[in-house]
Coordinates of all heavy atoms in Angstrom, one line a residue:
M1 N 241.3 -61.4 55.5 CA 240.2 -60.8 56.2 C 239.0 -61.2 55.4 O 239.0 -61.6 54.1 CB 240.4 -59.4 56.3 CG 239.3 -58.7 57.0 SD 238.7 -59.3 58.7 CE 240.3 -59.1 59.7
C2 N 237.9 -61.2 56.0 CA 236.6 -61.5 55.5 C 236.2 -60.6 54.3 O 236.3 -59.4 54.2 CB 235.5 -61.3 56.5 SG 233.9 -62.0 56.0
R3 N 236.0 -61.4 53.1 CA 235.5 -60.6 51.9 C 234.4 -59.8 51.9 O 234.0 -58.9 51.2 CB 235.6 -61.6 50.8 CG 236.7 -62.2 50.4 CD 236.8 -63.0 49.1 NE 237.9 -63.8 49.0 CZ 237.9 -65.0 48.6 NH1 236.8 -65.6 48.0 NH2 239.0 -65.8 48.6
N4 N 233.4 -60.2 52.9 CA 232.1 -59.4 53.1 C 232.3 -58.1 53.8 O 231.3 -57.4 53.8 CB 231.2 -60.3 54.0 CG 230.8 -61.6 53.1 OD1 230.8 -61.5 51.7 ND2 230.5 -62.6 53.7
I5 N 233.5 -57.9 54.4 CA 233.6 -56.5 55.0 C 234.1 -55.5 54.0 O 235.1 -55.7 53.4 CB 234.6 -56.6 56.2 CG1 234.0 -57.6 57.3 CG2 234.8 -55.2 56.8 CD1 235.0 -57.7 58.4
K6 N 233.2 -54.5 53.7 CA 233.5 -53.6 52.7 C 234.1 -52.3 53.3 O 234.0 -51.9 54.4 CB 232.1 -53.2 52.0 CG 231.4 -54.4 51.5 CD 232.2 -55.2 50.3 CE 231.4 -56.2 49.8 NZ 232.2 -57.3 49.3
T7 N 234.9 -51.6 52.4 CA 235.3 -50.3 52.8 C 234.2 -49.4 53.1 O 233.2 -49.3 52.3 CB 236.2 -49.6 51.7 OG1 237.3 -50.6 51.4 CG2 236.8 -48.3 52.1
L8 N 234.1 -48.6 54.2 CA 233.3 -47.8 54.6 C 233.6 -46.2 54.5 O 232.7 -45.4 54.7 CB 232.6 -48.1 55.9 CG 232.1 -49.5 56.1 CD1 231.8 -49.8 57.6 CD2 231.0 -49.8 55.2
F9 N 234.7 -46.0 54.3 CA 235.2 -44.6 54.5 C 235.2 -43.9 53.1 O 235.5 -44.5 52.1 CB 236.6 -44.5 55.0 CG 237.2 -43.1 55.2 CD1 236.5 -42.2 55.9 CD2 238.2 -42.7 54.5 CE1 237.1 -40.9 56.1 CE2 238.9 -41.5 54.6 CZ 238.2 -40.5 55.3
N10 N 234.8 -42.6 53.2 CA 234.8 -41.7 52.0 C 233.9 -42.0 50.9 O 234.4 -42.1 49.7 CB 236.3 -41.5 51.6 CG 236.5 -40.3 50.7 OD1 235.8 -39.3 50.8 ND2 237.5 -40.4 49.8
F11 N 232.7 -42.2 51.3 CA 231.7 -42.5 50.2 C 230.6 -41.4 50.2 O 230.4 -40.7 51.3 CB 230.9 -43.8 50.4 CG 231.7 -45.0 49.9 CD1 232.6 -45.6 50.7 CD2 231.6 -45.3 48.7 CE1 233.3 -46.8 50.2 CE2 232.4 -46.4 48.2 CZ 233.3 -47.1 48.8
D12 N 230.0 -41.1 49.0 CA 228.8 -40.3 49.1 C 227.7 -41.1 48.6 O 227.7 -41.6 47.4 CB 229.1 -39.1 48.0 CG 228.0 -38.2 48.0 OD1 227.4 -37.9 49.0 OD2 227.9 -37.5 47.0
P13 N 226.6 -41.3 49.4 CA 226.4 -40.7 50.7 C 227.3 -41.5 51.8 O 227.6 -42.5 51.5 CB 224.9 -41.0 51.0 CG 224.6 -42.1 50.0 CD 225.4 -42.0 48.9
P14 N 227.5 -40.8 52.9 CA 228.3 -41.4 53.9 C 227.7 -42.6 54.4 O 226.6 -42.9 54.3 CB 228.4 -40.3 55.0 CG 227.8 -39.0 54.4 CD 227.0 -39.4 53.2
V15 N 228.6 -43.4 55.2 CA 228.2 -44.6 55.7 C 227.1 -44.4 56.8 O 227.1 -43.3 57.5 CB 229.4 -45.3 56.5 CG1 230.0 -44.5 57.5 CG2 229.2 -46.8 56.8
N16 N 226.3 -45.3 57.0 CA 225.2 -45.2 58.0 C 225.5 -46.2 59.1 O 226.2 -47.2 59.0 CB 223.9 -45.3 57.4 CG 223.6 -46.5 56.8 OD1 223.8 -47.7 57.2 ND2 222.9 -46.5 55.6
A17 N 224.7 -46.2 60.2 CA 224.8 -46.9 61.3 C 224.6 -48.4 61.0 O 225.3 -49.5 61.5 CB 223.9 -46.5 62.4
E18 N 223.6 -48.8 60.0 CA 223.3 -50.1 59.7 C 224.5 -50.7 59.0 O 224.8 -51.9 59.3 CB 222.2 -50.1 58.7 CG 220.8 -49.8 59.4 CD 219.7 -49.9 58.5 OE1 219.8 -50.5 57.3 OE2 218.6 -49.2 58.8
E19 N 225.2 -50.0 58.1 CA 226.3 -50.6 57.4 C 227.5 -50.8 58.3 O 228.2 -51.8 58.3 CB 226.8 -49.5 56.3 CG 225.8 -49.4 55.3 CD 226.2 -48.3 54.3 OE1 226.4 -47.1 54.8 OE2 226.1 -48.5 53.0
I20 N 227.7 -49.9 59.3 CA 228.8 -50.1 60.3 C 228.5 -51.4 61.1 O 229.3 -52.2 61.3 CB 229.0 -48.9 61.2 CG1 229.5 -47.8 60.3 CG2 229.9 -49.1 62.4 CD1 229.6 -46.4 61.0
R21 N 227.2 -51.6 61.6 CA 226.8 -52.7 62.4 C 227.0 -54.0 61.6 O 227.4 -55.0 62.1 CB 225.3 -52.6 63.0 CG 225.0 -53.7 63.8 CD 224.0 -53.3 64.7 NE 223.5 -54.5 65.5 CZ 224.2 -54.9 66.6 NH1 225.1 -54.3 67.0 NH2 223.7 -56.0 67.3
A22 N 226.6 -54.1 60.3 CA 226.7 -55.1 59.5 C 228.3 -55.5 59.4 O 228.6 -56.6 59.5 CB 226.1 -55.0 58.1
A23 N 229.0 -54.6 59.1 CA 230.6 -54.9 59.1 C 231.1 -55.3 60.4 O 231.9 -56.4 60.5 CB 231.3 -53.6 58.5
S24 N 230.6 -54.8 61.5 CA 230.9 -55.3 62.8 C 230.6 -56.7 63.0 O 231.2 -57.5 63.6 CB 230.4 -54.4 63.9 OG 230.9 -53.1 63.7
L25 N 229.4 -57.0 62.7 CA 228.8 -58.3 62.8 C 229.6 -59.3 62.0 O 230.0 -60.4 62.5 CB 227.3 -58.4 62.4 CG 226.7 -59.8 62.4 CD1 226.7 -60.4 63.7 CD2 225.3 -59.7 61.9
Q26 N 230.0 -59.1 60.8 CA 230.9 -59.9 60.0 C 232.2 -60.1 60.6 O 232.8 -61.3 60.7 CB 231.0 -59.3 58.6 CG 229.7 -59.4 57.7 CD 229.4 -60.8 57.4 OE1 230.3 -61.7 57.3 NE2 228.1 -61.1 57.3
F27 N 232.7 -59.0 61.2 CA 234.0 -59.2 61.9 C 234.0 -60.1 63.1 O 234.8 -60.9 63.2 CB 234.5 -57.7 62.2 CG 235.9 -57.8 62.9 CD1 237.1 -58.0 62.3 CD2 235.9 -57.6 64.4 CE1 238.2 -58.0 63.0 CE2 237.1 -57.7 65.0 CZ 238.4 -57.8 64.3
V28 N 233.0 -60.0 63.9 CA 232.8 -60.8 65.0 C 232.5 -62.3 64.6 O 233.2 -63.1 65.3 CB 231.7 -60.2 66.0 CG1 231.4 -61.3 67.1 CG2 232.2 -58.9 66.6
R29 N 231.8 -62.5 63.6 CA 231.6 -63.7 63.1 C 232.8 -64.4 62.7 O 233.1 -65.6 62.9 CB 230.6 -63.8 62.0 CG 229.2 -63.7 62.3 CD 228.3 -63.5 61.0 NE 226.8 -63.5 61.5 CZ 226.0 -63.2 60.7 NH1 226.2 -62.9 59.4 NH2 224.6 -63.2 61.1
K30 N 233.7 -63.6 62.0 CA 235.0 -64.2 61.4 C 235.9 -64.5 62.5 O 236.4 -65.6 62.6 CB 235.6 -63.2 60.5 CG 236.9 -63.4 59.9 CD 236.6 -64.5 58.8 CE 237.9 -64.8 58.0 NZ 237.7 -65.7 56.9
I31 N 236.1 -63.5 63.5 CA 237.1 -64.0 64.6 C 236.6 -65.0 65.6 O 237.4 -65.6 66.2 CB 237.7 -62.7 65.2 CG1 236.5 -61.9 65.9 CG2 238.3 -61.7 64.3 CD1 237.0 -60.8 66.9
S32 N 235.2 -65.0 65.8 CA 234.8 -66.0 66.7 C 234.6 -67.4 66.1 O 234.6 -68.4 66.8 CB 233.4 -65.6 67.3 OG 232.5 -65.6 66.3
G33 N 234.4 -67.4 64.8 CA 234.0 -68.6 64.1 C 232.7 -69.0 64.2 O 232.1 -70.1 63.8
F34 N 231.8 -68.2 64.8 CA 230.2 -68.5 65.0 C 229.6 -67.6 63.9 O 229.7 -66.5 63.8 CB 229.8 -68.0 66.3 CG 230.4 -68.7 67.6 CD1 230.7 -67.9 68.6 CD2 230.8 -70.0 67.5 CE1 231.2 -68.5 69.9 CE2 231.4 -70.6 68.7 CZ 231.6 -69.8 69.8
N35 N 228.7 -68.4 63.3 CA 227.8 -67.6 62.4 C 226.6 -67.2 63.3 O 226.1 -66.0 63.2 CB 227.2 -68.5 61.3 CG 226.4 -67.7 60.3 OD1 226.7 -66.6 60.0 ND2 225.3 -68.4 59.8
K36 N 226.2 -68.2 64.2 CA 225.1 -67.8 65.2 C 225.7 -68.3 66.4 O 225.8 -69.6 66.5 CB 223.8 -68.3 64.9 CG 222.8 -67.9 65.7 CD 221.3 -68.4 65.3 CE 220.3 -67.8 66.3 NZ 219.1 -68.6 66.4
P37 N 225.8 -67.5 67.6 CA 226.4 -68.1 68.8 C 225.4 -68.9 69.5 O 224.2 -68.8 69.3 CB 226.8 -66.8 69.5 CG 225.9 -65.8 69.1 CD 225.6 -66.1 67.7
S38 N 225.9 -69.7 70.4 CA 224.9 -70.5 71.3 C 224.3 -69.5 72.3 O 224.8 -68.4 72.4 CB 225.7 -71.5 72.0 OG 226.7 -71.0 73.0
K39 N 223.3 -70.0 72.9 CA 222.6 -69.2 74.0 C 223.6 -68.7 75.0 O 223.7 -67.6 75.6 CB 221.4 -69.8 74.6 CG 220.2 -69.9 73.8 CD 219.6 -68.6 73.5 CE 218.4 -68.8 72.7 NZ 217.9 -67.6 72.2
A40 N 224.6 -69.5 75.4 CA 225.6 -69.3 76.5 C 226.6 -68.2 76.0 O 227.0 -67.4 76.8 CB 226.4 -70.6 76.7
N41 N 226.8 -68.0 74.7 CA 227.7 -67.0 74.1 C 227.0 -65.8 73.5 O 227.7 -64.9 73.0 CB 228.7 -67.7 73.1 CG 229.5 -68.7 73.7 OD1 230.1 -68.5 74.8 ND2 229.7 -69.7 73.0
E42 N 225.7 -65.8 73.4 CA 225.0 -64.8 72.7 C 225.3 -63.4 73.3 O 225.5 -62.5 72.5 CB 223.6 -65.2 72.7 CG 222.7 -64.2 71.8 CD 221.2 -64.6 71.7 OE1 220.8 -65.3 72.5 OE2 220.7 -64.2 70.8
A43 N 225.2 -63.2 74.7 CA 225.4 -62.0 75.2 C 226.8 -61.4 74.9 O 226.9 -60.1 74.5 CB 225.1 -62.0 76.7
A44 N 227.9 -62.3 75.1 CA 229.2 -61.9 74.8 C 229.4 -61.4 73.2 O 230.0 -60.4 72.9 CB 230.2 -62.9 75.1
F45 N 228.7 -62.2 72.4 CA 228.8 -62.0 70.9 C 228.2 -60.8 70.6 O 228.7 -59.9 69.9 CB 228.0 -63.2 70.3 CG 228.1 -63.1 68.7 CD1 229.1 -64.0 68.1 CD2 227.1 -62.6 68.1 CE1 229.1 -64.0 66.7 CE2 227.1 -62.5 66.7 CZ 228.2 -63.2 65.9
L46 N 226.9 -60.4 71.0 CA 226.3 -59.1 70.8 C 226.9 -58.1 71.4 O 227.0 -56.9 70.8 CB 224.7 -59.3 71.2 CG 223.9 -60.3 70.4 CD1 222.5 -60.4 71.0 CD2 223.9 -60.0 69.0
S47 N 227.5 -58.2 72.6 CA 228.2 -57.0 73.3 C 229.3 -56.8 72.3 O 229.7 -55.5 72.1 CB 228.7 -57.5 74.6 OG 229.4 -56.5 75.2
A48 N 230.1 -57.7 71.8 CA 231.3 -57.4 71.0 C 230.9 -56.7 69.7 O 231.6 -55.8 69.3 CB 232.0 -58.8 70.6
V49 N 229.8 -57.2 69.0 CA 229.3 -56.4 67.9 C 229.0 -55.0 68.2 O 229.5 -54.0 67.5 CB 228.1 -57.1 67.3 CG1 227.5 -56.3 66.2 CG2 228.4 -58.6 66.8
D50 N 228.3 -54.8 69.3 CA 228.0 -53.3 69.7 C 229.3 -52.5 70.0 O 229.3 -51.4 69.5 CB 227.2 -53.3 71.0 CG 225.8 -53.8 70.7 OD1 225.2 -53.8 69.5 OD2 225.1 -54.3 71.8
E51 N 230.2 -53.1 70.7 CA 231.5 -52.4 71.0 C 232.2 -52.0 69.7 O 232.8 -51.0 69.6 CB 232.3 -53.2 71.9 CG 231.8 -53.2 73.4 CD 232.7 -53.8 74.3 OE1 233.9 -53.7 74.3 OE2 232.1 -54.6 75.2
I52 N 232.4 -53.0 68.9 CA 233.1 -52.8 67.6 C 232.4 -51.8 66.7 O 233.1 -50.9 66.1 CB 233.4 -54.1 66.9 CG1 234.3 -55.0 67.8 CG2 233.8 -53.9 65.5 CD1 234.5 -56.3 67.2
A53 N 231.1 -51.8 66.7 CA 230.3 -50.9 66.0 C 230.7 -49.4 66.5 O 230.8 -48.5 65.7 CB 229.0 -51.1 65.9
G54 N 230.6 -49.3 67.8 CA 230.9 -48.0 68.4 C 232.3 -47.5 68.0 O 232.5 -46.4 67.7
V55 N 233.3 -48.4 68.3 CA 234.7 -47.9 67.9 C 234.9 -47.5 66.5 O 235.5 -46.7 66.2 CB 235.7 -49.0 68.3 CG1 236.9 -48.8 67.8 CG2 235.6 -49.3 69.9
S56 N 234.2 -48.4 65.7 CA 234.2 -48.2 64.1 C 233.7 -46.8 63.8 O 234.1 -46.1 63.0 CB 233.5 -49.3 63.4 OG 234.3 -50.5 63.6
T57 N 232.5 -46.5 64.4 CA 231.8 -45.3 64.1 C 232.6 -44.1 64.5 O 232.9 -43.1 63.7 CB 230.5 -45.2 64.9 OG1 229.6 -46.3 64.4 CG2 229.8 -43.9 64.8
R58 N 233.3 -44.2 65.8 CA 234.2 -43.1 66.2 C 235.4 -42.9 65.3 O 235.8 -41.9 64.9 CB 234.7 -43.3 67.7 CG 233.4 -43.0 68.6 CD 233.9 -43.0 70.1 NE 234.6 -44.3 70.5 CZ 233.9 -45.3 70.9 NH1 232.6 -45.4 70.9 NH2 234.5 -46.5 71.3
F59 N 235.9 -44.0 64.8 CA 237.0 -44.1 64.0 C 236.8 -43.5 62.7 O 237.6 -42.6 62.2 CB 237.6 -45.6 63.8 CG 238.7 -45.7 62.9 CD1 239.9 -45.1 63.0 CD2 238.5 -46.5 61.7 CE1 240.8 -45.2 62.1 CE2 239.5 -46.6 60.7 CZ 240.7 -46.0 60.9
L60 N 235.7 -44.0 62.1 CA 235.3 -43.4 60.6 C 235.0 -41.9 60.7 O 235.4 -41.2 59.8 CB 234.1 -44.0 60.1 CG 234.5 -45.6 59.8 CD1 233.2 -46.4 59.3 CD2 235.3 -45.6 58.5
H61 N 234.5 -41.5 61.8 CA 234.2 -40.0 61.9 C 235.4 -39.1 62.2 O 235.4 -38.0 61.9 CB 233.0 -39.7 62.9 CG 231.7 -40.2 62.4 ND1 230.9 -41.1 63.2 CD2 231.0 -39.9 61.3 CE1 229.8 -41.3 62.5 NE2 229.9 -40.5 61.5
S62 N 236.5 -39.8 62.8 CA 237.7 -39.0 63.0 C 238.7 -39.0 61.8 O 239.5 -38.2 61.8 CB 238.3 -39.7 64.2 OG 239.0 -40.8 63.8
L63 N 238.3 -39.8 60.8 CA 239.3 -39.8 59.6 C 239.1 -38.6 58.7 O 238.0 -38.0 58.7 CB 239.1 -41.1 58.8 CG 239.4 -42.5 59.4 CD1 239.0 -43.5 58.5 CD2 240.9 -42.5 59.7
E64 N 240.1 -38.1 58.2 CA 240.1 -36.9 57.2 C 240.8 -37.3 55.9 O 241.6 -38.1 55.9 CB 240.9 -35.8 57.9 CG 240.3 -35.3 59.1 CD 241.1 -34.1 59.7 OE1 242.0 -33.6 59.0 OE2 240.9 -33.8 60.9
T65 N 240.3 -36.7 54.9 CA 241.0 -37.0 53.6 C 240.8 -35.8 52.7 O 239.7 -35.0 52.9 CB 240.3 -38.2 52.8 OG1 241.0 -38.5 51.7 CG2 238.9 -38.1 52.6
T66 N 241.5 -35.7 51.8 CA 241.5 -34.5 50.7 C 240.9 -35.2 49.4 O 240.5 -34.4 48.5 CB 242.8 -33.8 50.5 OG1 243.7 -34.8 50.0 CG2 243.3 -33.1 51.6
A67 N 240.8 -36.5 49.3 CA 240.3 -37.1 48.1 C 238.7 -36.9 48.0 O 238.1 -36.8 49.0 CB 240.6 -38.6 48.2
P68 N 238.3 -36.8 46.8 CA 236.8 -36.7 46.7 C 236.1 -37.9 47.2 O 236.6 -39.0 47.0 CB 236.6 -36.3 45.1 CG 237.9 -36.9 44.5 CD 238.9 -36.8 45.6
P69 N 234.8 -37.8 47.5 CA 234.1 -39.1 48.0 C 233.8 -40.0 46.7 O 233.7 -39.5 45.7 CB 232.8 -38.5 48.5 CG 233.0 -37.1 48.8 CD 234.1 -36.6 47.9
K70 N 233.9 -41.2 47.0 CA 233.7 -42.2 45.9 C 232.1 -42.4 45.9 O 231.4 -42.3 46.8 CB 234.3 -43.6 46.3 CG 235.8 -43.5 46.3 CD 236.4 -44.8 46.8 CE 236.6 -44.7 48.3 NZ 237.2 -45.8 48.9
N71 N 231.7 -42.7 44.6 CA 230.3 -42.8 44.3 C 229.9 -44.3 44.6 O 230.6 -45.1 43.9 CB 230.0 -42.4 42.8 CG 228.6 -42.6 42.5 OD1 228.1 -43.7 42.3 ND2 227.9 -41.5 42.4
R72 N 229.0 -44.5 45.4 CA 228.7 -45.9 45.7 C 228.2 -46.8 44.5 O 228.7 -47.9 44.3 CB 227.5 -46.0 46.7 CG 227.8 -45.5 48.1 CD 226.7 -45.7 49.0 NE 227.1 -45.2 50.3 CZ 227.6 -45.8 51.3 NH1 227.8 -47.2 51.1 NH2 228.0 -45.3 52.4
E73 N 227.5 -46.2 43.7 CA 227.0 -46.9 42.3 C 228.3 -47.3 41.4 O 228.4 -48.4 40.9 CB 226.0 -46.2 41.5 CG 224.6 -46.1 42.3 CD 224.6 -45.2 43.4 OE1 225.3 -44.1 43.3 OE2 223.8 -45.4 44.4
E74 N 229.1 -46.3 41.3 CA 230.3 -46.5 40.5 C 231.2 -47.7 41.1 O 231.7 -48.5 40.3 CB 231.1 -45.3 40.3 CG 230.5 -44.3 39.4 CD 231.2 -42.8 39.4 OE1 232.3 -42.9 39.8 OE2 230.6 -42.0 38.9
E75 N 231.3 -47.6 42.3 CA 232.1 -48.6 43.1 C 231.5 -49.9 43.0 O 232.2 -51.1 42.8 CB 232.4 -48.2 44.5 CG 233.4 -46.9 44.6 CD 234.7 -47.0 44.0 OE1 235.4 -48.1 44.1 OE2 235.1 -46.1 43.3
A76 N 230.2 -50.1 43.1 CA 229.6 -51.3 43.0 C 229.6 -51.9 41.5 O 229.7 -53.1 41.3 CB 228.0 -51.2 43.4
A77 N 229.5 -51.0 40.5 CA 229.7 -51.5 39.2 C 231.1 -51.9 39.0 O 231.2 -53.1 38.2 CB 229.4 -50.3 38.2
K78 N 232.2 -51.4 39.5 CA 233.5 -51.9 39.3 C 233.6 -53.2 40.0 O 234.2 -54.1 39.5 CB 234.5 -50.8 40.1 CG 234.6 -49.5 39.2 CD 235.6 -48.8 40.0 CE 235.7 -47.3 39.6 NZ 236.5 -46.4 40.4
A79 N 233.1 -53.4 41.2 CA 233.1 -54.7 41.8 C 232.4 -55.8 41.0 O 232.9 -56.9 41.0 CB 232.4 -54.6 43.3
R80 N 231.2 -55.5 40.5 CA 230.6 -56.5 39.7 C 231.4 -56.8 38.4 O 231.4 -58.1 38.1 CB 229.2 -55.9 39.2 CG 228.1 -55.9 40.3 CD 226.7 -55.6 39.7 NE 226.6 -54.3 39.2 CZ 226.3 -53.3 39.9 NH1 226.2 -53.3 41.2 NH2 226.3 -52.1 39.2
T81 N 232.1 -55.9 37.8 CA 233.0 -56.2 36.8 C 234.2 -57.1 37.2 O 234.4 -58.1 36.4 CB 233.5 -54.9 36.1 OG1 232.4 -54.0 35.7 CG2 234.4 -55.2 34.9
R82 N 234.7 -56.7 38.3 CA 235.8 -57.7 38.7 C 235.4 -59.1 39.1 O 236.0 -60.0 38.7 CB 236.4 -56.9 40.1 CG 237.3 -55.8 39.8 CD 238.2 -55.5 41.0 NE 237.2 -55.1 42.2 CZ 236.7 -54.0 42.5 NH1 237.0 -52.8 41.8 NH2 236.0 -53.8 43.6
A83 N 234.2 -59.1 39.6 CA 233.6 -60.5 39.9 C 233.4 -61.3 38.8 O 233.7 -62.5 38.6 CB 232.3 -60.3 40.8
A84 N 232.8 -60.5 37.7 CA 232.6 -61.2 36.4 C 233.9 -61.7 35.8 O 233.9 -62.9 35.2 CB 231.7 -60.3 35.4
V85 N 234.8 -60.9 35.8 CA 236.2 -61.4 35.3 C 236.7 -62.5 36.0 O 237.2 -63.5 35.5 CB 237.2 -60.2 35.3 CG1 238.6 -60.7 35.0 CG2 236.7 -59.2 34.3
R86 N 236.6 -62.4 37.4 CA 237.1 -63.5 38.3 C 236.4 -64.9 38.2 O 236.9 -65.9 38.1 CB 237.2 -62.9 39.8 CG 237.7 -64.0 40.7 CD 237.9 -63.3 42.0 NE 238.5 -64.3 42.9 CZ 238.5 -64.1 44.3 NH1 238.0 -63.1 44.8 NH2 239.1 -65.0 45.0
F87 N 235.0 -64.8 38.2 CA 234.3 -66.0 38.3 C 233.6 -66.3 37.0 O 232.9 -67.3 36.9 CB 233.2 -65.8 39.4 CG 233.8 -65.6 40.8 CD1 233.6 -64.3 41.4 CD2 234.6 -66.5 41.4 CE1 234.2 -64.1 42.7 CE2 235.2 -66.3 42.6 CZ 235.0 -65.1 43.3
G88 N 233.6 -65.4 36.0 CA 233.0 -65.6 34.8 C 231.5 -65.1 34.8 O 231.0 -65.0 35.8
A89 N 231.0 -64.7 33.6 CA 229.7 -64.1 33.5 C 228.6 -65.1 33.7 O 228.0 -65.7 34.0 CB 229.6 -63.2 32.3

């Protein structure tokens, strides 16, 4: 799956509509193979992004957990550390 799609569930502060839309856009780009669709496919492309964003929003709001929310800054720092180890500093 696309590495640019990030986990959106159980964060403090909670996910917002922009983050869900960005992940939906990445997903549609990945499965369609289009970074930017042609004019002929633009309406279908944007419709798919909107539908996936809507489904994702409903899905994320329906999930439940007993785990404490993750801190965004801490998770970002962990990701930077993993990237430095993987790709070199």
Side-chain angles (χ1 to χ4, degrees):
M1 185 45 67
C2 187
R3 291 185 195 147
N4 292 333
I5 298 176
K6 306 297 182 202
T7 301
L8 300 177
F9 178 62
N10 198 26
F11 278 99
D12 185 32
V15 66
N16 62 44
E18 288 179 23
E19 292 169 310
I20 293 173
R21 182 156 176 83
S24 300
L25 176 61
Q26 287 296 325
F27 179 74
V28 172
R29 284 177 174 167
K30 182 70 173 184
I31 63 172
S32 70
F34 300 143
N35 189 34
K36 184 176 182 203
S38 66
K39 289 290 181 188
N41 293 320
E42 187 173 22
F45 186 92
L46 294 176
S47 175
V49 171
D50 291 340
E51 288 184 42
I52 291 170
V55 168
S56 298
T57 299
R58 289 189 301 278
F59 173 62
L60 289 168
H61 288 124
S62 71
L63 294 175
E64 297 178 13
T65 184
T66 58
K70 295 175 263 182
N71 181 287
R72 289 181 183 271
E73 289 77 27
E74 289 174 10
E75 294 300 317
K78 288 179 192 176
R80 285 190 295 273
T81 301
R82 285 191 304 270
V85 168
R86 182 175 181 193
F87 300 112

